[in-house]
Amino acid sequence: MSTRQLFELATLPAILFIAGCTNSNNEATVTGEGSIKAIHAIPELGTVTFLIEETALADLGFKEASGTTSYDDLEYTFNFDTLLPGDSDDTRLVSSTVQVDAEYEHTFVLTGSLESPGILLWEQFGRDWADEIDTAADNDTEVTVMEVSFGNLSAAAGSVDVYFESPGTSPLFAEPKATVAYGDLQGPVELEYGDYQLVLTPAGDSSSILFASDVLNMSAATSHMLNVMDDGGQSTAEFSVHWVGYGIELYDINLQSEMTVVHAALGTDPVDVVVGGDFGDPAVEDLGFAGISPPVVVEPGTVNVNVTPANDLGVFLAERDLTIAAGSISRMYLIGYPGAVQAVVLSEDQRTLATHARLNVFQGAVRYPSVDLYLIDATVDISLISANYSSFAYGTGTGLVSVEPGDYNLVVTETGTKSIIGGPYALQLQAGENFGVVVLDSANLQATEMLLIDMTER
């Protein structure tokens, strides 16, 4: 252990890396309560369960934080579990035994990987704002301050300087509020309430901006934790900042976004797609039916998109204004009858899982207002089971859903019947891969077709 780490262990907030499991002993005298919460910070893992002893406290997706819970200042064993493919019972990922200290906040962060998980423990004094508000009221004053802690759970970001100033303030003319290495928590910093902007630079380099948030409104008498976290494929960024307790993901306002286009309109000739009014340089050219474009760079904000016949920019097949969030990944599906094309845009999450495949199905067959979808083992008879997705509406998608690795058949039927109109389509789904399936109209008026998209790589 380095001198720096030893110093951190002796100060607050304390930062410990803990793995393994020991027995707890709660025979000590209770003198007060401390609070606990958990954060899931392993990008390659799906839902995990946070437990105190064998009592489940929260199910957490990646980047999610549990609510804060108070417990007597005794020793407990804390656990993270997850359900692995093929299992009926959860697998214990990692455990640690910790003495809960009265009046302190204990944050258990699940880090590492599926093969080597660990727990970071962040501890800091829990501020009693209610007491401060009451004291101020007794003195005919008001509490005008708040506090912010800064955590770093992003190996991609590295050690960063943290600037938290009035919006637009250059780091060249300010002092960092903290310098935070990977795995560390720095805080709390007390500030007057109001509007702030979070800016990150490499440690010691105020001229290179890594991240700049939108304006954050901070209320008086509140405590906040802002964590830099690896993004894991949820956006075009390598990392983002999670506002713990608010469920808000902050992205660099300077990030560009990406969009791909899928031509799913049977009978419509190849198309060009113009983004942002740049008719001299269409973003997508000559895209034919069942074609998938490469990712198109889109500036965040309100963007006008026009779909035209290939090489004929004077005719609009479809037009719409899109609101594009910084760093977002999306897919535009061109659907409908010839002369009545629609552009449906859905956001995407391209994070992959070490344990599961992920599958997204989009219903683009205009002849069917809705269909039933079955994702089944090849040995299963659909007459004996219910559909995985019933009345799956035209122009909608499932979003990425986790699926156990294996060989499957995708079957499409008319809604409410076992009348097959598509498939069975064989799918080989592997852990760590994302797939998209688009249900298309077919030249056969009584059937549909399927378009498979490998969504693992942008």
Side-chain angles (χ1 to χ4, degrees), residues 330-398:
S330 58
R331 197 176 300 273
M332 175 184 286
Y333 299 90
L334 305 179
I335 58 176
Y337 292 110
V341 176
Q342 295 176 281
V344 175
V345 181
L346 300 177
S347 61
E348 292 193 349
D349 169 3
Q350 296 190 340
R351 183 170 63 97
T352 58
L353 302 180
T355 56
H356 290 75
R358 303 182 80 197
L359 181 68
N360 176 33
V361 182
F362 179 83
Q363 204 308 64
V366 67
R367 293 194 188 107
Y368 297 93
S370 66
V371 297
D372 289 348
L373 293 179
Y374 297 80
L375 185 67
I376 56 175
D377 184 273
T379 62
V380 173
D381 183 344
I382 66 168
S383 68
L384 302 176
I385 61 171
S386 299
N388 298 84
Y389 293 92
S390 299
S391 301
F392 186 40
Y394 166 68
T396 64
T398 61

Side-chain angles (χ1 to χ4, degrees), residues 70-416:
S70 296
Y71 277 90
D72 292 337
D73 58 340
L74 300 171
E75 185 180 83
Y76 305 92
T77 298
F78 296 90
N79 309 294
F80 285 97
D81 293 355
T82 195
L83 184 64
L84 297 177
D87 291 349
S88 56
D89 296 321
D90 284 348
T91 293
R92 181 133 298 163
L93 294 170
V94 65
S95 301
S96 70
T97 299
V98 172
Q99 172 70 44
V100 171
D101 293 322
E103 300 183 6
Y104 277 78
E105 296 178 348
H106 308 73
T107 301
F108 295 81
V109 185
L110 178 65
T111 62
S113 65
L114 173 63
E115 296 300 322
S116 183
I119 298 175
L120 283 169
L121 176 61
W122 290 342
E123 297 179 299
Q124 57 186 359
F125 184 74
R127 192 159 180 174
D128 188 346
W129 289 109
D131 182 64
E132 292 190 33
I133 291 171
D134 289 342
T135 300
D138 290 341
N139 295 321
D140 292 326
T141 61
E142 294 182 351
V143 176
T144 63
V145 297
M146 53 85 185
E147 63 179 20
V148 187
S149 302
F150 304 101
N152 187 348
L153 297 171
S154 171
S159 183
V160 295
D161 283 343
V162 179
Y163 296 84
F164 204 67
E165 304 291 339
S166 298
T169 302
S170 170
L172 294 172
F173 302 99
E175 292 294 323
K177 291 291 188 289
T179 298
V180 192
Y182 171 66
D184 287 357
L185 175 71
Q186 174 66 49
V189 177
E190 182 178 281
L191 300 166
E192 290 291 316
Y193 80 95
D195 290 341
Y196 287 87
Q197 183 179 32
L198 175 66
V199 176
L200 305 177
T201 71
D205 182 5
S206 60
S207 64
S208 301
I209 295 177
L210 298 174
F211 176 98
S213 75
D214 210 334
V215 177
L216 308 180
N217 181 261
M218 318 299 287
S219 301
T222 54
S223 297
H224 303 271
M225 181 184 289
L226 297 172
N227 287 336
V228 186
M229 302 187 73
D230 287 331
D231 201 59
Q234 293 182 322
S235 77
T236 62
E238 288 190 294
F239 63 87
S240 58
V241 175
H242 188 76
W243 193 346
V244 177
Y246 290 78
I248 296 174
E249 210 63 37
L250 307 176
Y251 287 99
D252 182 3
I253 58 174
N254 298 303
L255 272 179
Q256 292 181 319
S257 302
E258 291 182 357
M259 180 176 68
T260 55
V261 181
V262 179
H263 188 332
L266 179 66
T268 296
D269 291 335
V271 300
D272 291 345
V273 179
V274 177
V275 177
D278 190 0
F279 287 89
D281 185 19
V284 176
E285 296 182 286
D286 201 24
L287 185 67
F289 176 67
I292 306 166
S293 78
V296 174
V297 174
V298 183
E299 296 294 335
T302 300
V303 180
N304 181 255
V305 176
N306 293 278
V307 181
T308 74
N311 302 311
D312 186 0
L313 301 180
V315 177
F316 291 174
L317 299 175
E319 179 183 12
R320 59 175 300 183
D321 290 329
L322 305 178
T323 300
I324 303 295
S328 63
I329 302 171
S330 58
R331 197 176 300 273
M332 175 184 286
Y333 299 90
L334 305 179
I335 58 176
Y337 292 110
V341 176
Q342 295 176 281
V344 175
V345 181
L346 300 177
S347 61
E348 292 193 349
D349 169 3
Q350 296 190 340
R351 183 170 63 97
T352 58
L353 302 180
T355 56
H356 290 75
R358 303 182 80 197
L359 181 68
N360 176 33
V361 182
F362 179 83
Q363 204 308 64
V366 67
R367 293 194 188 107
Y368 297 93
S370 66
V371 297
D372 289 348
L373 293 179
Y374 297 80
L375 185 67
I376 56 175
D377 184 273
T379 62
V380 173
D381 183 344
I382 66 168
S383 68
L384 302 176
I385 61 171
S386 299
N388 298 84
Y389 293 92
S390 299
S391 301
F392 186 40
Y394 166 68
T396 64
T398 61
L400 274 175
V401 293
S402 298
V403 181
E404 291 195 4
D407 294 335
Y408 294 87
N409 282 340
L410 178 66
V411 180
V412 184
T413 71
E414 294 186 40
T415 297

Side-chain angles (χ1 to χ4, degrees), residues 1 3-17:
M1 181 178 290
T3 303
R4 180 182 66 83
Q5 290 171 316
L6 287 170
F7 176 76
E8 288 171 345
L9 291 170
T11 59
L12 291 175
I15 301 168
L16 310 172
F17 185 85

